[in-house]
Amino acid sequence: MSVPLTFAGKVVLITGAGGGLGREYALAFGQRGASVVVNDLGGDIKGGGKSSAAADKVVEEIKSKGGKAVANYDSVEDGEKVVQTALDAFGRIDIVVNNAGILRDRSFGRTSDLDWDLIHRVHLRGSFMVTRAAWNHMKNQKFGRIIMTSSAAGIYGNFGQANYSAAKLGLLGLANTLAIEGQKYNIHCNTIAPTAGSRLTETVMPPDLLESLKAEYVAPLVLWLSHDQCQENGGLFEAGAGWIGKLRWERSQGRIVRHKSQGMSPEAVRDQWDNICDFTNATKPASINESLATLVEVLSRVETGEKISPNPTGATAAPGPSLLDAVGKKLPEMTFSYSHLQCILYALGVGMSTKEDDHLKFLYEGHEDFSCLPTFGVVTSMGALMGGGLASLPGLDFTRLLHGEQYLELFKPLPTSGTLTNQATIADVLDKGSGAIILLDVHTYSGKELLCYNQYSLFIVGAGGFGGKRASAKAVSTVEPPKRAPDTVVTEATTRDQAALYRLSGDWNPLHIDPSFAAMGGFKAPILHGLCSFGFAARHVMKHYANNDVFRFKSMKVRFVKPVMPGQSLETSMWKEGNRIHIECKVKETGAVVLSGAYVDLHAAADDTPDILPEANGLKSELVFAEIGRRIKDIGTELVKKVNAVFGWEITEGGRTVAQWTIDLKTGAGALHKGPYSGKTDVTFTVSDEDFMDVVQGKLNPQKAFFAGKLKVRGNIMLSQKLEVILKDHAKL
Ligand code: NAI
């Protein structure tokens, strides 16, 4: 059993102890051996009147239980007199509990001078006067414990309590400094925000609650904080109902929005606002030194101009860490959620239009072959570049960052909606003399399945010359096109609002929309996103060489050479070399090359290689279809009536269709047969052999498979429900 806390030999002064919480404290201290000064003016809750009765009664109670107590009836505003009572009666003062209080609640507009002043006089000035009177005595005896009584109304604000909230949080400020000044004299000052039923709360709390929130549930905290064993100093605690919690400050990582050459503007503040207010990796500064150290660090970083950290992390952050230190660093994992809306918005952003019939499947979610453009894969990974991603790297000056190259590889077509996870790593850092290149690898997963891989090559102007290597085996290289004339050239105009539209896919850099920002960067107008031109070029390849079949897109690499202005026309030259389509993109009006060394790699078309549709290829799904065939025969016409539809199946392996099946439950003719249907199926499912088995065996929920992009459905999706009739009970297969 632990040793009980006693206060023998200690003199405690509790203000406003004639009732409520103060009385409870006084009784508890009295019971544990302290000599208690019970101060109370004995007025009404608004600060009017005066009476000795309240304090006297509590003193009597303590004495009747064998304790030592004396009354004082002065206002806390007469702090000296209050403390003098302690000195006169007991010869010392060890503990001060500033508790006296009144209320003058008014909505802010109706708060009078008197409402304001009285509240401040009793709560804030009263605590100051009493504490100051005790201070030197505590200092001399090298012991003191001070409690300030704040309130949730001060911490959080409360309607009608502007005067009270201000005074109550003022007490916290007072306590913060007393904790610092008193520390070396063993004077500790802590603040409580109690909640208990009392005459102050009886107008704001229902009677039942008032009754249950007893003052005796707060007193033990006050006693502990007042004990000489307690080393807590400068803390803030909420307490009520028997619960105690500690509060502290949290500070976002913040952003430096000032630059040596460009100064600081409200626009820069606006543009960084989300980052400034983002509490990811927030710090918990506990002293003014930590606050100041941050500013000193920022000053030096802005002044040297070389490595401005977007995230000053206080004194502990190493100034200007080398970019080399970042190699291999994993950035915080980020998720990206999207629906068909983002897919469509992106398609519009990269110039798709209903003017072209074959664009509709990327623009209309009700299209039987609704698909997500493969290059949307760069959008899903974008978060890695934004706040909390790359931005969390110390020593990286974002204002000098240029997007140099991009590589995108898809491992399967992107689903048209989903929640994906991005894992980003600094693959390497290269020293190009005039600047540094950061190779940022981003792997994007749907659950555990890798969907796509992006490699960003980010050029940081002026950050070179650190003695790093010039090339990396990890870099995906650009490839120059063949020397001959291009096989195909496509010219397409961008619109004046192309950048305004494209940015809605998540690249919010004001360079692409804000003329003054563009001017600061040396451009005569906002420029088009490099990744928007990337999307245009990819589309041109997909249309001319892959029949817009998203299954055929494998990967794409480009180098961004020069900017495109919205409204200019893009001229894409293409060369086919096997499954690789080389690309070069120019601005038609100026002839300037904008994308170079670029290519798209395609998967071979299914009809290029008919031999990969084997007869008996050991597919597991064959078994299931055989069983389905038997069942259909058994229940035949009944099923036809019930379902009345033609189902098509495309079974894939490694992204290629390796078997096709048709279940005809409309005409009944043939019922199940292997191979495509001669007419139009009502609904067609595309699924890998493995996933098909998982669905049939109940290991994979078909709906989940659909949303994860594992099961593609073309046509009347509602009919899939009817499939249950056929597939039910196949678990035993
Ligand atoms: P209470 O009204 O029962 O106690 C306050 C006492 O202070 C009264 O006995 C009153 O006569 C005395 N007092 C008022 N003006 C004085 C002055 N100038 N000099 C000396 N004594 C004076 O109220 P309660 O609820 O016990 O409040 C105690 C403290 O806790 C107050 O500071 C209050 O603001 C604070 N508080 C209480 C909460 C609660 O839920 N009860 C919530 C948050 C804060």
Side-chain angles (χ1 to χ4, degrees), residues 401-714:
L401 194 143
L402 301 173
H403 196 168
E405 296 178 12
Q406 183 75 22
Y407 175 72
L408 166 70
E409 184 169 351
L410 291 197
F411 299 100
K412 62 185 308 179
L414 295 168
T416 51
S417 66
T419 295
L420 310 181
T421 318
N422 288 307
Q423 290 177 3
T425 313
I426 310 288
D428 221 337
V429 176
L430 308 180
D431 188 348
K432 293 285 182 186
S434 61
I437 287 179
I438 293 183
L439 292 180
L440 179 70
D441 280 355
V442 187
H443 289 89
T444 304
Y445 294 85
S446 170
K448 287 200 167 110
E449 188 178 32
L450 179 61
L451 274 191
C452 64
Y453 160 63
N454 276 274
Q455 184 176 74
Y456 291 82
S457 300
L458 304 167
F459 190 79
I460 302 143
V461 181
F466 53 86
K469 57 189 177 182
R470 288 190 67 83
S472 168
K474 292 183 185 143
V476 180
S477 315
T478 52
V479 181
E480 292 312 308
K483 294 273 175 272
R484 63 185 151 89
D487 303 327
T488 315
V489 179
V490 174
T491 305
E492 189 178 1
T494 64
T495 71
R496 169 65 213 244
D497 289 319
Q498 205 71 57
L501 190 56
Y502 182 82
R503 63 192 291 276
L504 302 182
S505 285
D507 187 334
W508 305 107
N509 188 339
L511 179 64
H512 305 292
I513 185 83
D514 184 340
S516 55
F517 200 92
M520 279 197 291
F523 299 103
K524 61 178 193 301
I527 61 172
L528 192 62
H529 304 69
L531 283 176
C532 180
S533 312
F534 173 92
F536 267 78
R539 276 207 297 104
H540 296 156
V541 172
M542 290 300 288
K543 183 180 174 99
H544 289 274
Y545 293 99
N547 198 25
N548 276 333
D549 178 358
V550 294
F551 283 84
R552 295 205 49 207
F553 181 97
K554 180 174 181 285
S555 59
M556 177 163 179
K557 170 79 189 181
V558 303
R559 179 189 296 134
F560 302 107
V561 187
K562 280 215 165 104
V564 177
M565 306 314 275
Q568 288 182 325
S569 299
L570 286 169
E571 186 183 275
T572 308
S573 301
M574 293 170 270
W575 295 258
K576 184 170 179 351
E577 295 274 289
N579 283 327
R580 173 163 290 181
I581 315 297
H582 295 270
I583 323 167
E584 185 179 78
C585 247
K586 288 180 180 164
V587 169
K588 172 115 175 92
E589 290 80 359
T590 62
V593 174
V594 289
L595 301 181
S596 75
Y599 62 85
V600 172
D601 279 348
L602 298 171
H603 292 296
D607 50 10
D608 284 354
T609 47
D611 50 304
I612 61 162
L613 272 178
E615 265 301 285
N617 47 15
L619 293 174
K620 293 185 214 119
S621 55
E622 305 259 320
L623 273 172
V624 179
F625 281 108
E627 171 65 16
I628 288 173
R630 277 193 288 278
R631 282 185 181 220
I632 291 172
K633 253 194 202 137
D634 287 355
I635 29 178
T637 46
E638 195 193 313
L639 203 59
V640 173
K641 261 193 257 152
K642 218 176 195 170
V643 180
N644 193 31
V646 180
F647 298 87
W649 290 89
E650 290 172 5
I651 304 297
T652 66
E653 248 187 351
R656 291 168 187 186
T657 303
V658 287
Q660 282 180 298
W661 293 89
T662 310
I663 304 174
D664 180 356
L665 295 176
K666 205 176 225 165
T667 65
L672 174 87
H673 93 102
K674 191 166 182 191
Y677 187 56
S678 46
K680 196 170 177 329
T681 58
D682 292 293
V683 58
T684 300
F685 305 93
T686 307
V687 63
S688 74
D689 190 44
E690 207 152 302
D691 291 339
F692 177 83
M693 291 311 289
D694 284 352
V695 170
V696 170
Q697 293 174 21
K699 288 188 207 156
L700 180 63
N701 174 310
Q703 219 164 354
K704 276 199 187 137
F706 174 69
F707 286 118
K710 290 181 171 183
L711 175 68
K712 277 201 66 83
V713 184
R714 293 202 306 272

Side-chain angles (χ1 to χ4, degrees), residues 113-185:
D113 285 7
L114 188 65
D115 294 332
W116 181 268
D117 292 344
L118 272 183
I119 287 290
H120 275 70
R121 273 166 49 192
V122 174
H123 289 275
L124 194 50
R125 185 173 162 80
S127 299
F128 159 65
M129 293 300 280
V130 172
T131 307
R132 190 180 61 180
W135 187 258
N136 282 338
H137 300 284
M138 293 179 170
K139 228 171 121 175
N140 292 338
Q141 72 202 15
K142 295 223 169 5
F143 178 82
R145 293 290 184 265
I146 299 163
I147 307 292
M148 297 294 178
T149 306
S150 184
S151 163
I155 298 170
Y156 306 109
N158 196 23
F159 191 94
Q161 295 198 305
N163 51 355
Y164 181 72
S165 308
K168 282 307 202 188
L169 211 57
L171 284 164
L172 178 64
L174 173 60
N176 285 341
T177 292
L178 297 193
I180 293 167
E181 291 192 17
Q183 176 76 44
K184 68 174 175 202
Y185 303 109

